[in-house]
Amino acid sequence: MRIDIVSIFPEFFSVLDVSLVGKARQKGLVSTSVTDLRDFTYDVHRTVDDSPYGGGAGMVMKPEPWGEAIDSIIGDETSAVLVVPSPAGEPFTQAIARELAAEEHLVFACGRYEGIDQRVMDHFGSRIRVRPLSLGDYVLNGGEVATMAFIEAITRLIPGMVGNPESLVEESHEDGLLEYPSYTKPQLWRELEVPEVLRSGNHAAIAAWRREQQIERTKAIRPDLLPE
Ligand code: JDN
């Protein structure tokens, strides 16, 4: 998978060199490239923003630098996906992470200020697939932090990335329920015992207990995830 990121804060993404994304790059499964949006400005102040048509607070990102930056990345490609982090985007889920993990080329457009001129999404929407995605129902200062989260969620799902693929199947959200609670040694810690069933060696009872814990947790914390 090829990952391109366009941002006015390219140095933000130096952490991609470490952690799991770094490992994916070492294995040759992922290559990442960061483009400084300001490289596609031509005035002395390297201006990327301007006041909004129709008035209102804040500034809007000018379309021309975005157009040139993304053109320089995709060329005449038609199979790339342009991911645009936005609080107005579709909520990002594990299912979307799975879809995007199957793509060859992802381009992340990290906006700042009040966002990017809508014509950038409209223009590239007629050339490639555009996915406005929200990290959650809260507002960040820009798309960079959301992009880091998307990249981590997506790249760990690339085949060959995680040592034991079973550990991916058992985690929260993969089966639509929250994860069951986990325990390790010691058996007794600060007067708290590991649940007896987990020490019973009865694998059917353990599986049933874990499923019940998943359902109870999901009911209590995320009832929206449960079927009717
Ligand atoms: O995901 B976010 O909250 C988000 C905020 C901004 C953005 C992109 C994403 N661009 C400007 C603010």
Side-chain angles (χ1 to χ4, degrees):
M1 174 187 289
R2 202 144 63 81
I3 295 177
D4 277 282
I5 300 160
V6 185
S7 168
I8 58 169
F9 297 114
E11 62 286 9
F12 189 97
F13 296 94
S14 44
V15 285
L16 283 176
D17 301 348
V18 294
S19 114
L20 204 65
V21 184
K23 218 176 280 174
R25 289 170 55 183
Q26 279 168 24
K27 290 188 179 191
L29 297 171
V30 173
S31 68
T32 61
S33 173
V34 185
T35 296
D36 187 342
L37 183 70
R38 290 194 203 274
D39 289 350
F40 298 89
T41 60
Y42 303 99
D43 64 310
V44 280
H45 296 111
R46 310 226 290 165
T47 308
V48 293
D49 63 331
D50 204 339
S51 53
Y53 269 107
M59 298 290 269
V60 174
M61 296 194 98
K62 297 163 60 61
E64 306 97 313
W66 283 105
E68 286 200 30
I70 297 167
D71 281 347
S72 79
I73 289 165
I74 66 172
D76 61 2
E77 268 184 77
T78 56
S79 60
V81 178
L82 181 64
V83 177
V84 186
S86 164
E90 176 186 4
F92 185 69
T93 61
Q94 190 68 15
I96 295 173
R98 281 226 169 271
E99 277 177 46
L100 295 179
E103 296 291 344
E104 256 331 295
H105 190 190
L106 301 179
V107 182
F108 291 88
C110 303
R112 285 265 151 182
Y113 314 107
E114 300 311 306
I116 304 169
D117 187 301
Q118 180 60 37
R119 292 170 294 178
V120 173
M121 283 65 78
D122 295 346
H123 169 79
F124 286 103
S126 70
R127 292 172 53 185
I128 58 174
R129 287 166 290 164
V130 176
R131 294 290 298 261
L133 294 177
S134 169
L135 187 60
D137 290 339
Y138 39 79
V139 180
L140 306 172
N141 283 328
E144 283 80 5
V145 165
T147 289
M148 287 297 302
F150 297 155
I151 289 173
E152 185 159 314
I154 292 163
T155 54
R156 64 193 291 283
L157 297 178
I158 295 172
M161 263 308 295
V162 170
N164 175 11
E166 267 186 33
S167 66
L168 286 180
V169 176
E170 290 198 5
E171 62 197 9
S172 288
H173 300 298
E174 279 293 345
D175 62 1
L177 295 173
L178 300 186
E179 221 167 275
Y180 52 76
S182 300
Y183 299 86
T184 186
K185 289 174 280 298
Q187 182 182 321
L188 180 65
W189 180 74
R190 298 193 180 185
E191 300 179 349
L192 296 170
E193 280 264 20
V194 173
E196 205 274 322
V197 62
L198 297 179
R199 297 178 275 121
S200 68
N202 182 340
H203 297 293
I206 291 169
W209 182 85
R210 284 177 167 169
R211 177 56 51 159
E212 178 188 293
Q213 289 289 312
Q214 284 191 283
I215 293 164
E216 287 312 307
R217 267 189 168 184
T218 307
K219 265 191 214 165
I221 298 162
R222 293 294 306 277
D224 57 297
L225 295 177
L226 286 171
E228 289 307 304

